[in-house]
Structure formats: C-alpha cells, structure tokens
C-alpha cells in the first residue's frame, strides 16, 4: 500500500556541508554509500560550484550570516510500487515543480531496508538554498551577503521567504503537501497502480488511528520478539482495516446507486397507469397487472434484504478488525511497559551492586597473645 510522507527542515550556519555529505554518503558517511544510496544530483549551482555542490554548501557555512539559514530540506517518501527509474523521474518532476530554476539544489535518493519488515524504504532528501538565482555573477563571499534591492549586482543573492507569518508558512506547507500527493498519485495512475496517497491527516480523512511513532534501527534492536511481532500484527491489522473500509464504501456507493434506480422506476410506475389504461386491450382483466406489481415488489424486497445483509456483514467484519487492532495496540503498550520495568529493575540492581562494592571492608584486629 502506498504511503505518504513529506516534511520540511531548515539548517543553520555550519550545518549545510555536513548534511550534504550525509545525503550524498560522502566523507565520514561514505561507508554507507553501498548500503542504501541510489542516486545523487544537483542543479542551478553558480559557476564557481558547478558540478561541485560540496563547495557551495561549504561557502554557505562560511559566509552566511550568523543567524541565517544555510539550506532548506524537503524529505519525501517514494512509492514502493514504482521502480527505480520511475522514482527518479518522479523526484525530478517534483524538483522542477517546487524549485525549478529559482534555487541551487542537491538531492539524493536512498533506499534502505526496513528495520522491522525488511522491505524497501525509498525516500529522497532535497536540499536547496533560499537564495534566488538571478543570473548575476558573484564570488562565494558576495553570493551570501545581504541583498541590495536598488543595486542587485552590489549585494548578495536575494533570499526568498516561504511566508512572512507562521500562518502563511503553515498554509504554504499544506499546499506543498497537497501538490506532492497529486504528483505522486498521477505517477501511480500513469503506471497503472490502484493505490493512492492522501496528504491529509488521519483525523481529516475520518480514520480512527493514531500515527505510528517512527522506530529507527537503534530502537528496533532494543525490542524483543514479542514487541516486534506486536508491531507487525498492528501494521497488518491496520492495512486490512483500510482495505475493508474501502470495500465497505464501495458497497455503500453501489447500494445508493441501486436505491436511486429503484426510486426512479417506482416514480415511472406511478405516472404510467393512465398511459397503460389507454393502451389496454378491451376485455383484458386486472389480474395480470396485479401479478406484475406483486412480482416487482417481491423482487425489490429480496434485493433490499441481500444488500442490507452484505452491508451488515461488512460493517461487522470492519468492527472486528478495529477491535483486534485496539487489542494489539494494548498488547504492544503492555509489552513496552514490561520492558521498561525490567530495565528499571536492572538499573536498580546495578546501582545496589556498585554501592555494595564501594563500601569499605571491615578490618579485624588481633588480640594480645597469651
């Protein structure tokens, strides 16, 4: 099932080059290059950093003002349903849509193995400078100076703000999340996948589910077998519940359509007796008409019973899955509490052991010889 994720981060002075090394798996992160790095790419760099993005981010760390932002990063999850080439095309389209030729950028695609389920976790890190490309030649020091609105060539590249107030920045982020969902869904449709993503929160979608806390490799290694199985069971139950809810919605839609058709037919039958009376042949009894009406009514009743039975069974099944999900969540919670209590007991035992070892041993003196 396709999953959705988009988050935005900012980096301060002295953070840009280190983060660029991280996403590109360079320098001290080079040992991880073969583990999960899929692709690295950059664009819109000034001439002095063309094809050398590390020099651009190093200059940002050096020359950006003390409280300035050296980079913004958009982190996005990529659909597992797409292959490697399709994901790269998707990221490039998103970069073109959100950044275009306006900012210097660098992005990397990673695809590590999931710590619990072991499947793919494709995602992309998109770093870009807030400073706008204006085709004016500047050296590294001038590039990151304060902009001069009257004489742009004398100042640094102008910074672009993504909203002046918290409300405006939140609105921009909401719209950006929606654009990413639309683009991702267009690719899923293009390559004939039925799954779709939704940028809205679970609450806005009407889903009674708490977002799962991200567990990295370190946290996963601390879980025991019971806790790991509880997490896997919860994910499976949630997946089944989502699919069942979609199926139930489809049944409800079909039911509504059928009821609409039946209402239209009944309305037509109410308006047709006068026409039928004019066309009725002389001597024809009313028995045939009565039999037809009774047969039609019985057929309608049977259809309504069958549809209602299908809806009831679907609702009951969905309710059972939801209860199972709640039970598994409670089991996971209890397992985590038990693990925490065991760790506390171990810490207390270690503390008592250290205190005992630090106590001075009693010294016994010999008495006088007789």
């Amino acid at each position: 099932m396709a999953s959705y994720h988009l988050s935005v981060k900012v980096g301060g002075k002295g953070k840009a080059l280190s983060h660029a090394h991280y996403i590109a798996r360079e320098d001290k992160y080079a040992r991880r290059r073969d583990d999960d790095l899929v692709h690295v790419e950059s664009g819109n760099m000034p001439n002095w950093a063309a094809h050398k993005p590390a020099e651009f981010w190093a200059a940002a760390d050096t020359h950006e003002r003390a409280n300035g932002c050296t980079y913004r990063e958009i982190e996005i999850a990529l659909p597992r349903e797409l292959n490697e080439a399709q994901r790269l095309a998707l990221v490039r389209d998103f970069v073109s849509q959100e950044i275009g030729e306006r900012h210097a950028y660098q992005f990397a695609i990673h695809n590590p193995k999931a710590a619990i389920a072991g499947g793919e976790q494709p995602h992309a890190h998109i770093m870009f400078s807030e400073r706008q490309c204006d085709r004016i030649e500047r050296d590294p020091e001038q590039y990151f100076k304060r902009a001069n609105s009257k004489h742009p060539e004398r100042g640094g590249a102008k910074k672009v703000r993504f909203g002046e107030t918290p409300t405006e920045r939140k609105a921009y982020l909401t719209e950006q999340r929606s654009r990413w969902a639309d683009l991702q869904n267009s690719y899923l449709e293009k390559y004939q996948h039925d799954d779709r993503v939704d940028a809205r929160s679970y609450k806005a979608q009407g889903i009674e589910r708490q977002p799962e806390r991200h567990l990295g490799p370190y946290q996963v290694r601390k879980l025991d077998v019971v806790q790991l199985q509880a997490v896997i069971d919860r994910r499976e139950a949630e997946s089944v519940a989502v699919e069942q809810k979609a199926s139930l919605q489809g049944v409800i839609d079909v039911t509504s359509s059928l009821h609409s058709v039946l209402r239209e037919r009944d309305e037509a039958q109410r308006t047709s007796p006068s026409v039928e009376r004019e066309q009725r042949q002389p001597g024809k009894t009313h028995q045939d008409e009565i039999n037809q009406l009774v047969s039609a009514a019985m057929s309608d009743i049977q259809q309504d019973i069958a549809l209602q039975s299908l809806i009831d069974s679907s609702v009951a099944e969905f309710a059972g899955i939801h209860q199972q999900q709640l039970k598994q969540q409670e089991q996971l919670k209890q397992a985590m509490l038990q693990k925490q209590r065991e760790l506390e007991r171990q810490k207390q035992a270690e503390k008592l052991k250290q205190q005992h070892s630090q106590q001075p041993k009693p010294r016994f003196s010999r008495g006088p010889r007789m």
Side-chain angles (χ1 to χ4, degrees), residues 13-75:
K13 186 178 176 68
K15 304 293 185 180
L17 181 59
S18 175
H19 193 69
H21 284 327
Y22 168 76
I23 71 169
R25 299 301 191 241
E26 296 174 344
D27 198 57
K28 64 180 180 180
Y29 304 102
R31 57 186 174 80
R32 300 177 58 179
R33 173 177 286 269
D34 296 332
D35 294 338
D36 61 0
L37 183 64
V38 177
H39 184 82
V40 179
E41 190 172 310
S42 62
N44 300 337
M45 291 290 170
N47 290 334
W48 47 267
H51 310 297
K52 296 178 290 185
E55 294 190 11
F56 178 84
W57 303 119
D61 284 338
T62 302
H63 301 294
E64 187 64 72
R65 62 180 184 271
N67 61 343
C69 171
T70 53
Y71 72 92
R72 293 178 71 88
E73 180 190 33
I74 306 173
E75 184 179 291

Side-chain angles (χ1 to χ4, degrees), residues 255 259 262 299-310:
T255 304
H259 280 301
L262 292 174
S299 178
D300 291 348
I301 292 172
Q302 290 175 353
Q303 290 179 3
D304 288 343
I305 291 174
L307 288 170
Q308 189 61 46
S309 176
L310 181 59

